């Protein structure tokens, strides 16, 4: 059953109310994230076989080297575009900020009614990209990576889940929803393949294991 939250922290009384309310929400429509569909499992396996295996190197990494949440159109930046894309019944004000809607997080199965409870995850984290080849890119290339709406690289998810993921790769972190793991690794490989990024040995082994059942 999907979990629906208006905010992260609830008092005991509010938690009880939320539990009762969840009965009514069981049959309610659920928002669904609209990550661009990744390549098939077979294609991801073929892509993975071509990726360079190399030790990661984080020397010199700084998040500011990846300009992100740039303006996409009008007053809407990348975060706001993804919030609109991935949410249901999203309403935005004149500054493009989401004022209402619901967002389903496929990583953990939670649904949120406040945009402040949602992060836009870089599926392949910026630090991971740096470690695996983006340190040699131009700033323009890093900006494109950090704001890529075409590849399956940006997705709206529960904020503390995204924060727990941090910069980990699939060798040490995977979505808790096992049903989403195949999509996740297919997307991961597609992004790394498109951008010519390397994988380390543990990462490649984890990807191979997950892709074997995709």
């Amino acid at each position: 059953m999907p979990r629906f939250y208006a905010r992260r922290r609830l008092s005991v009384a509010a938690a009880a109310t939320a539990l009762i309310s969840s009965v009514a929400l069981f049959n309610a429509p659920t928002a669904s994230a609209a990550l661009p569909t990744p390549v098939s499992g077979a294609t991801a396996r073929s892509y993975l076989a071509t990726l360079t295996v190399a030790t990661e190197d984080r020397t010199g990494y700084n998040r500011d080297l990846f300009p992100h949440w740039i303006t996409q159109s009008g007053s809407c930046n990348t975060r706001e575009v993804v919030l609109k894309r991935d949410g249901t019944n999203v309403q935005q004000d004149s500054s493009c900020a989401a004022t209402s809607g619901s967002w389903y997080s496929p990583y953990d199965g939670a649904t949120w009614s406040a945009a402040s409870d949602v992060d836009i995850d870089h599926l392949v984290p910026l630090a991971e990209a740096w470690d695996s080849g983006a340190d040699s890119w131009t700033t323009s290339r890093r900006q494109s990576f950090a704001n890529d709406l075409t590849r399956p690289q940006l997705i709206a998810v529960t904020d503390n889940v995204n924060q727990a993921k941090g910069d980990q790769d699939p060798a040490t972190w995977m979505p808790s929803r096992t049903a989403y793991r195949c999509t996740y690794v297919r997307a991961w490989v597609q992004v790394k393949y498109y951008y010519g990024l390397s994988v380390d040995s543990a990462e490649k082994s984890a990807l191979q294991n997950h892709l074997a059942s995709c």
Side-chain angles (χ1 to χ4, degrees), residues 42-53:
T43 299
R45 287 190 291 272
S46 69
Y47 283 178
L48 180 59
T50 71
L51 297 183
T52 299
V53 178

Side-chain angles (χ1 to χ4, degrees), residues 1-5 14-30:
M1 184 176 73
R3 292 166 287 163
F4 190 97
Y5 301 93
T17 301
L19 179 62
I20 294 169
S21 299
S22 67
V23 175
L25 287 165
F26 183 78
N27 294 316
T30 301

Side-chain angles (χ1 to χ4, degrees), residues 39 43-49 51 123-124 184-195 199 207-208 211:
V39 296
T43 299
R45 287 190 291 272
S46 69
Y47 283 178
L48 180 59
L51 297 183
L123 194 136
V124 174
Y184 185 81
V185 294
R186 286 158 44 213
W188 184 282
V189 172
Q190 180 180 347
V191 171
K192 284 224 157 177
Y193 177 84
Y194 178 83
Y195 283 98
V199 291
L207 290 167
Q208 288 173 324
L211 286 171

Side-chain angles (χ1 to χ4, degrees), residues 33-36 63 68-70 72 77-87 90 92 98 103-107 114-126 145-149 151-163 165-166:
L35 182 80
R63 186 175 175 85
H68 52 285
W69 305 167
I70 62 171
Q72 293 289 342
N77 66 26
T78 307
R79 171 182 164 83
E80 292 155 347
V81 170
V82 178
L83 283 172
K84 177 71 171 179
R85 183 199 71 186
D86 288 5
V90 177
Q92 297 172 305
W103 292 269
Y104 174 74
S105 170
Y107 288 179
S116 59
D117 285 323
V118 178
D119 276 357
I120 306 306
D121 180 38
H122 289 97
L123 194 136
V124 174
L126 304 182
F145 177 84
N147 298 275
D148 191 344
L149 296 169
R151 262 63 55 182
Q153 165 66 348
L154 298 174
I155 185 170
V157 297
T158 302
D159 57 0
N160 60 354
V161 171
N162 181 49
Q163 291 153 21
K165 171 189 170 182

